Amino acid sequence: SLSYMFENCTNLEKLNLSNFDTSQVTSMISMFRGCGNLTELDVSKWNTAKVVRMAGLFDNCKKLTTLNVSNFDTSNVTNMLGMFFGTGYTAMTSLDLGDKFDTSKVTNMSGMFMNFGTTAITGLSLGNKFYTSKVTNMTNMFTGCGKTAMISLDLGPAFTKIATTNTDFITNCGKSGAIIYAPEAIFQDKNNFKLNTDATTSAISYTRGTINPKYRTEWIKEGTIKQDGSDLENIPFKETNLYVRKVLNVYEKYKNLY
């Protein structure tokens, strides 16, 4: 266990642990909790395949400017409570969890990104394996996350269920006008989430910005675009609309050339 190893080491400013052998570690609870002056932390080469508990791992590492967890194998982790609580509060501008960040066994995500990058972060991407099917607690999961500057939160395609215990799930998340990219399973309309694909009514409202469905099938169902995709430029979200138009324009140019 590496739990609480550096907890409240408030004088730490830089820490390179990239060559730490973590291959047999099963618990990392609050390992860096309260390292409030830590600006640089290298955990990029860690083997986390056997880790089961990551609750509070980076809790209140407020001054972290970057964090590379793209190599983290989290397929056996069950508890991520407060994992990134207050992380990078004043300094981190973006975070991409990557495609090894597998949450298929996680049951507790309460406060996971609460106050994460509150004043600095502009974008947060959870990757393609951020599964939520077994999660039972999402209380305060994104409360205050990127409250000042975040314009984009991508939940990824695997975020197909919102736990029924979800008080303040997304309260004050993102700056005014932020876009949350979500799979159609939890998309009710641009200002409302539903708990899962079988739910018929919305469960959580989001009026700080808008919710953008991850999959094109939702727009087809609403009649916004055609089944054959011939009018993709009609996608009703500005960023996606402009991007698609650019892609289609380049496609036409290449088609004419070749």
Side-chain angles (χ1 to χ4, degrees):
S1 172
L2 294 179
S3 295
Y4 312 106
M5 187 172 189
F6 298 98
E7 185 181 27
N8 293 324
C9 289
T10 55
N11 291 325
L12 277 178
E13 294 182 5
K14 297 181 180 181
L15 196 57
N16 185 343
L17 300 175
S18 59
N19 292 318
F20 232 34
D21 182 359
T22 57
S23 58
Q24 301 302 312
V25 176
T26 58
S27 181
M28 293 182 172
I29 295 173
S30 298
M31 185 174 176
F32 301 103
R33 183 176 181 269
C35 292
N37 287 307
L38 192 62
T39 59
E40 295 180 22
L41 174 63
D42 191 344
V43 294
S44 60
K45 297 179 182 179
W46 278 13
N47 180 343
T48 59
K50 292 187 178 181
V51 179
V52 177
R53 294 173 291 277
M54 287 186 171
L57 179 56
F58 304 107
D59 182 353
N60 274 311
C61 292
K62 293 183 177 181
K63 293 184 180 180
L64 272 183
T65 56
T66 60
L67 185 62
N68 184 354
V69 293
S70 61
N71 197 48
F72 272 31
D73 178 349
T74 57
S75 57
N76 283 310
V77 178
T78 61
N79 191 345
M80 290 184 172
L81 180 153
M83 183 175 178
F84 299 101
F85 179 93
T87 307
Y89 187 96
T90 59
M92 195 174 298
T93 57
S94 66
L95 179 67
D96 187 339
L97 297 185
D99 292 334
K100 289 186 178 180
F101 205 92
D102 182 338
T103 60
S104 55
K105 292 183 180 179
V106 178
T107 59
N108 192 344
M109 290 183 176
S110 59
M112 186 173 179
F113 296 99
M114 186 174 181
N115 295 333
F116 171 77
T118 296
T119 64
I121 200 158
T122 59
L124 172 60
S125 177
L126 305 189
N128 291 328
K129 293 183 179 179
F130 200 91
Y131 298 102
T132 60
S133 57
K134 292 187 177 180
V135 182
T136 57
N137 192 340
M138 290 184 177
T139 301
N140 294 120
M141 184 171 178
F142 295 103
T143 299
C145 176
K147 180 179 178 181
T148 303
M150 189 168 71
I151 58 174
S152 172
L153 169 59
D154 192 338
L155 299 179
F159 203 117
T160 56
K161 171 195 166 189
I162 296 175
T164 52
T165 301
N166 56 49
T167 303
D168 291 323
F169 166 68
I170 206 152
T171 302
N172 291 327
C173 176
K175 67 179 291 187
S176 178
I179 298 177
I180 298 179
Y181 297 95
E184 124 180 285
I186 58 170
F187 173 79
Q188 182 70 27
D189 56 54
K190 69 177 184 177
N191 291 122
N192 290 281
F193 289 101
K194 57 184 180 180
L195 293 182
N196 53 58
T197 193
D198 296 323
T200 57
T201 58
S202 62
I204 302 169
S205 65
Y206 181 71
T207 56
R208 197 172 180 83
T210 56
I211 306 163
N212 186 330
K214 186 80 175 181
Y215 302 114
R216 188 165 61 90
T217 50
E218 188 63 42
W219 296 323
I220 293 172
K221 187 164 60 178
E222 292 177 349
T224 305
I225 62 175
K226 297 177 181 177
Q227 178 71 40
D228 62 6
S230 60
D231 59 349
L232 285 176
E233 68 274 11
N234 291 331
I235 291 172
F237 294 93
K238 186 178 179 181
E239 284 186 352
T240 310
N241 187 303
L242 291 174
Y243 177 75
V244 170
R245 286 174 183 270
K246 286 180 182 178
V247 172
L248 291 176
N249 185 44
V250 172
Y251 167 73
E252 288 299 325
K253 288 180 179 179
Y254 272 90
K255 189 170 70 172
N256 291 332
L257 286 173
Y258 300 101

